[in-house]
Amino acid sequence: RAKAAGRSRIEVFDDALRERALSRLRTESDLRVALDSDQLFLVYQPIIRMQNGSIAGFEALVRWSHPERGTILPGEFIALAEETGLILRLGRWALKEAALQIKDWRRRTGRDLFVSVNVSGRQLMDDDMAAAVAQVLGETGVEPRALKLEITESLLLDDTARCVQMLHDIRKLGVRLCLDDFGTGFSNLSYLHSYPVDTLKIDRSFVRAATAGDRRAEIARIITMLAAALDLEVVAEGVERDAEAAFLRDLHCQYAQGYFFARPMPPEEAERHLLVQAA
Ligand code: C2E
Ligand code: MG
Ligand code: MG
Ligand code: MG
């Protein structure tokens, strides 16, 4: 009897596994179709200059308009894209799309705007990454300094020497680099000076701590000081409240991004924000 119960538990387990495997397969083949048929699109979240509230640039964030499931967030498909290697195609598409968009906005507003594009570890491990970036620059004619690549700190831990070389190769093209979710990775800061990065992006957990009386807010302060000492730019992400913005302003944090200022939005809407600001 115990044996029978054990077996049925295993069957239930098997069913769950099979269901998960099937759903992954479905998502994977759907994602291939999506890449072939323009179902992916980018939304843009303004990055604000704290000094005067103007828009300095945007972070491009991918969305998937699935024919049956509606709009899907990256949390549901980036990991799978990485595992299947589809992230290479997705990444190149996103970079080119964002480059064309920022080129257009720079031309039409005459402003020195930038766009920040997220890059996954799998992309950095690809030997052709720097060539792919160079190709996007060539095909779009965008000014290299208008492009920033966002890399998460943890990602640089796996194969440091190789990653550092890749970052240097990309930096040589004139494209700028940002360490995303900074402070959540690991505490060895000695590597920072060997990475050719331009910007630190303070993880939103430290921003949130600012108004919660949480001592982790001190991390935001320290990152801001670190950035100043190393002559790097600093952006705070996930700013949702007035008090958080005030805290960051007190720290002399240069840039901020979050729902308090603006949500990620389709390009037409982002463009309206730019035009309103110009007026
Ligand atoms: P991330 O790069 O750290 O992006 C910030 C995330 O925080 C975005 O979620 C954004 O919509 C969200 N966010 C912005 N302001 C606020 C706020 O005030 N409060 C809160 N709670 N959240 C805020 P999203 O768009 O769902 O993207 C999630 C992650 O997916 C990104 O984290 C990034 O790691 C990844 N991702 C997005 N687009 C791409 C892409 O094109 N390529 C790759 N490789 N990864 C991407
Ligand atoms: Mg990011
Ligand atoms: Mg984060
Ligand atoms: Mg981030």
Side-chain angles (χ1 to χ4, degrees):
R1 200 164 176 209
K3 231 177 169 176
R7 192 157 47 236
S8 73
R9 242 191 325 264
I10 288 170
E11 276 165 19
V12 169
F13 185 62
D14 276 357
D15 282 349
L17 271 184
R18 194 176 305 118
E19 189 45 50
R20 263 191 33 209
L22 273 176
S23 138
R24 279 173 52 91
L25 269 179
R26 218 175 297 128
T27 307
E28 181 184 343
S29 74
D30 281 3
L31 190 53
R32 282 182 202 284
V33 173
L35 279 161
D36 289 330
S37 57
D38 287 341
Q39 289 173 18
L40 299 181
F41 62 99
L42 295 179
V43 288
Y44 296 85
Q45 185 175 35
I47 297 174
I48 305 296
R49 236 178 242 105
M50 290 299 264
Q51 205 183 9
N52 58 12
S54 65
I55 297 175
F58 296 89
E59 178 172 8
L61 297 155
V62 68
R63 298 289 182 264
W64 177 2
S65 171
H66 191 285
E68 286 128 37
R69 293 163 63 191
T71 302
I72 308 181
L73 293 169
E76 288 192 55
F77 60 89
I78 290 291
L80 185 68
E82 285 171 354
E83 287 161 31
T84 54
L86 286 172
I87 194 72
L88 297 180
R89 276 183 66 198
L90 189 159
R92 283 168 200 201
W93 165 80
L95 195 61
K96 185 169 180 185
E97 180 80 10
L100 286 170
Q101 184 61 79
I102 203 64
K103 187 187 176 192
D104 183 51
W105 285 338
R106 284 167 66 92
R107 185 178 56 77
R108 288 165 49 206
T109 61
R111 290 170 56 184
D112 189 24
L113 301 162
F114 67 86
V115 70
S116 232
V117 182
N118 293 284
V119 165
S120 83
R122 179 72 188 266
Q123 288 173 270
L124 270 195
M125 289 300 185
D126 179 29
D127 290 329
D128 298 329
M129 178 67 186
V133 175
Q135 190 180 351
V136 166
L137 293 175
E139 284 173 1
T140 63
V142 73
E143 298 84 339
R145 56 169 278 105
L147 278 189
K148 268 193 195 189
L149 301 187
E150 296 198 1
I151 294 142
T152 50
E153 193 188 2
S154 57
L155 214 154
L156 300 173
L157 304 180
D158 301 340
D159 194 345
T160 307
R162 190 160 157 212
C163 280
V164 172
Q165 186 54 53
M166 182 57 76
L167 294 181
H168 277 284
D169 290 347
I170 293 170
R171 189 67 189 79
K172 259 184 248 151
L173 300 169
V175 169
R176 292 184 289 167
L177 299 169
C178 169
L179 284 182
D180 203 355
D181 304 331
F182 192 75
T184 58
F186 74 140
S187 53
N188 180 3
L189 295 175
S190 61
Y191 69 94
L192 250 189
H193 75 273
S194 66
Y195 287 158
V197 299
D198 305 271
T199 306
L200 302 181
K201 190 178 265 196
I202 305 172
D203 188 67
R204 69 164 167 264
S205 56
F206 307 119
V207 171
R208 199 69 67 248
T211 51
D214 185 329
R215 291 181 59 205
R216 277 181 305 171
E218 289 307 311
I219 309 283
R221 187 190 308 278
I222 286 166
I223 295 173
T224 309
M225 289 167 62
L226 184 66
L230 295 175
D231 209 13
L232 303 174
E233 295 190 338
V234 62
V235 184
E237 71 171 12
V239 181
E240 290 181 359
R241 281 175 270 276
D242 196 5
E244 292 164 2
F247 169 77
L248 293 163
R249 221 172 271 116
D250 281 349
L251 298 185
H252 299 291
C253 177
Q254 286 166 301
Y255 301 103
Q257 163 185 11
Y259 299 162
F260 175 68
F261 300 105
R263 294 194 169 248
M265 55 186 103
E268 307 74 44
E269 204 181 322
E271 192 170 317
R272 276 199 295 278
H273 274 250
L274 280 174
L275 295 177
V276 165
Q277 259 196 4

